Amino acid sequence: MTDSKTDAPLPPPTHAQSIASPINLILFALLFTLVYLRLRPKPPPTLSKAPPPIVFRTFTPPMLKPYNGENNMPTYLAVNGKVFDVSNGRDFYGPGGPYENFAGRDASRGLACGSFDEDMLTKDLEGPLDDLKGLGEEEWEAMRGWEERFQEKYLVVGKLVAVGDAEAPKEGS
């Protein structure tokens, strides 16, 4: 091919590069994948199963005793007639904890006196509740402080009454 005006040879025609070259296709696929991974819809978050509801109950000392944190039972303790679910503080009140003697029991006298000894607990679970006679003003104040602390931190799940009390649940209920 020659140019008719100058009879000089024309340069060979250039071929337009196609956008569909292999490297461009690879880069486009990579870009598409990255955009998809970034913008794809996320699965909805799954909510954890709600704990079973806790019903306010009336407990007697024998009914409260199994709630000591053993055998997958919750950990309850009573202070001044109120039963608290202290399961969140299992490291303190559950088996092996420093307050484990109080789990499943009336802890009023022990907390008031600042003693973790077994003799601070009522021995006869079928008998009357500890009337807390003999506590001084400082000990009453200490027990009220513990009660307030428990009310701020833990759920009240019931009240403690003596076996045979008019409010005590009957056998089998």
Side-chain angles (χ1 to χ4, degrees), residues 40-46:
R40 76 175 172 203
K42 306 275 187 276
T46 56

Side-chain angles (χ1 to χ4, degrees), residues 56-67:
F56 188 87
R57 295 176 39 195
T58 302
F59 291 90
T60 61
M63 290 172 60
L64 186 60
K65 184 77 172 140
Y67 293 92

Side-chain angles (χ1 to χ4, degrees), residues 10-172:
L10 291 175
T14 57
H15 295 288
Q17 288 291 331
S18 169
I19 194 164
S21 71
I23 190 73
N24 285 347
L25 291 175
I26 291 171
L27 290 174
F28 179 73
L30 181 63
L31 177 67
F32 179 77
T33 303
L34 290 174
V35 168
Y36 172 76
L37 291 175
R38 182 75 176 151
L39 299 178
R40 76 175 172 203
K42 306 275 187 276
T46 56
L47 300 176
S48 61
K49 185 178 177 187
I54 297 174
V55 178
F56 188 87
R57 295 176 39 195
T58 302
F59 291 90
T60 61
M63 290 172 60
L64 186 60
K65 184 77 172 140
Y67 293 92
N68 58 8
E70 295 177 353
N71 302 320
N72 291 326
M73 291 290 284
T75 308
Y76 293 174
L77 63 79
V79 178
N80 202 21
K82 294 181 180 115
V83 179
F84 295 93
D85 180 354
V86 294
S87 299
N88 290 342
R90 186 176 300 270
D91 293 342
F92 294 103
Y93 305 104
Y99 301 96
E100 74 178 326
N101 288 348
F102 298 148
R105 304 292 293 272
D106 181 4
S108 301
R109 184 171 292 275
L111 292 172
C113 296
S115 174
F116 310 123
D117 296 335
E118 281 283 330
D119 62 339
M120 290 288 145
L121 301 171
T122 307
K123 301 286 185 258
D124 181 14
L125 298 181
E126 300 290 333
L129 296 180
D130 186 352
D131 58 10
L132 303 175
K133 286 186 179 171
L135 293 183
E137 189 56 41
E138 277 185 29
E139 292 162 327
W140 275 102
E141 193 60 38
M143 187 184 61
R144 282 189 215 101
W146 278 101
E147 185 179 1
E148 286 175 18
R149 208 167 302 137
F150 283 127
Q151 285 179 328
E152 290 170 2
K153 196 169 183 179
Y154 302 111
L155 288 175
V156 176
V157 294
K159 66 180 178 177
L160 185 65
V161 298
V163 173
D165 188 282
E167 294 183 66
K170 305 299 180 233
E171 288 287 326

